[in-house]
Amino acid sequence: MMEIKQSSSSLTLVKPGNDLRKEAAQVSIALSPGHTGVPGSRKTCVNDTNGDGKEFIVKKLLCAAGLSLALAVSAGAQAADKIAVVNVSSIFQQLPQRATVAKQLENEFKGRASELQNQERDLQTKMQRLQRDGSTMKASERSRMEKDIMAQREAFSTKAQAFEQDNRRRQSEERNKILSRIQDAVKKVADDEGYDVVIDANAVAYASNSKDITADVLKQVK
């Protein structure tokens, strides 16, 4: 059996009795956080494509392009007898859980997204009116409207930033859950089939005589 030692940032696979006890392969997950913006001046994660303020899309949810499982292989690990490769990105793309998570997050943030869209439209309407009628308004009326717009913009900005942060945090939480399942499946297959080192196919340029265990890992995750 393969002994598993885990720290907060890496996972070490060590096979007892093997010369790799102190020079084991270090597994680290490098995720490029899915950028999620908000309506307004930022890149938005809220798309209102039909203009009714109802459609909500969380962009780049669980962005698979940012997913990679990087292995730092030591000199001793390179000499291991059994090496396998796995395409983590391909596994991630094929998981049915991705659609479930996307729908879950859509429902979770739909109300807040609609509220931000409504506030943004109201703010734009006021700004257009000020630009159109400002020159004919009384000085006091124009000043009052300008202050109102400024206050509304600050409130919108605060809510939009909170939305972005919460959305990004939840995406990261759900992404990490899926990654954890993939990690567990990789370890299970490696242990069952006796592999000393498992390398992500996207992390190396060439791997000679290495068994591709992607299909086996995918079966474990599903």
Side-chain angles (χ1 to χ4, degrees):
M1 293 293 290
M2 189 175 293
E3 179 184 354
I4 301 170
K5 298 181 180 180
Q6 186 167 7
S7 67
S8 60
S9 60
S10 67
L11 177 72
T12 303
L13 306 183
V14 182
K15 195 167 186 179
N18 192 283
D19 290 337
L20 305 180
R21 286 193 298 268
K22 294 186 179 180
E23 293 188 4
Q26 299 294 321
V27 183
S28 64
I29 296 178
L31 290 176
S32 175
H35 173 72
T36 305
V38 292
S41 61
R42 295 170 172 264
K43 184 177 180 181
T44 180
C45 68
V46 181
N47 291 342
D48 183 14
T49 57
N50 57 13
D52 60 5
K54 298 298 183 182
E55 182 174 353
F56 170 81
I57 301 175
V58 178
K59 295 181 67 177
K60 295 182 182 179
L61 178 66
L62 300 177
C63 184
L67 175 66
S68 112
L69 185 65
L71 268 166
V73 183
S74 66
Q78 292 177 11
D81 293 332
K82 296 195 67 175
I83 300 177
V85 295
V86 60
N87 193 324
V88 178
S89 178
S90 176
I91 294 173
F92 189 87
Q93 291 285 353
Q94 297 180 62
L95 289 180
Q97 292 91 330
R98 293 176 64 238
T100 302
V101 170
K103 187 64 176 178
Q104 175 184 336
L105 291 179
E106 177 183 346
N107 292 333
E108 184 174 334
F109 286 92
K110 189 172 184 178
R112 291 173 64 180
S114 296
E115 181 181 355
L116 283 171
Q117 288 173 342
N118 292 335
Q119 290 181 353
E120 183 181 29
R121 281 193 293 268
D122 182 59
L123 182 58
Q124 289 175 345
T125 298
K126 290 181 178 179
M127 292 175 65
Q128 290 171 358
R129 182 191 169 194
L130 178 63
Q131 184 177 16
R132 182 184 65 248
D133 303 333
S135 59
T136 60
M137 289 181 177
K138 293 181 180 179
S140 58
E141 182 182 359
R142 184 172 61 251
S143 177
R144 182 171 59 253
M145 191 171 187
E146 288 174 346
K147 291 180 180 179
D148 181 54
I149 289 175
M150 289 181 62
Q152 189 170 344
R153 288 181 63 178
E154 291 178 0
F156 174 81
S157 178
T158 299
K159 287 186 178 182
Q161 289 177 11
F163 176 91
E164 178 183 2
Q165 292 171 359
D166 292 344
N167 201 332
R168 187 165 53 239
R169 173 182 55 79
R170 287 290 294 117
Q171 288 185 41
S172 179
E173 290 173 355
E174 296 302 326
R175 181 170 56 243
N176 288 339
K177 290 178 184 179
I178 295 178
L179 287 175
S180 180
R181 295 187 61 181
I182 295 176
Q183 277 189 326
D184 291 343
V186 170
K187 290 184 288 184
K188 178 68 165 55
V189 172
D191 186 59
D192 289 348
E193 300 186 16
Y195 291 106
D196 300 296
V197 178
V198 179
I199 305 175
D200 184 8
N202 296 317
V204 291
Y206 177 71
S208 176
N209 299 325
S210 299
K211 171 69 180 301
D212 189 335
I213 60 172
T214 300
D216 296 333
V217 173
L218 181 60
K219 290 178 182 178
Q220 286 288 333
V221 179
K222 286 185 174 180

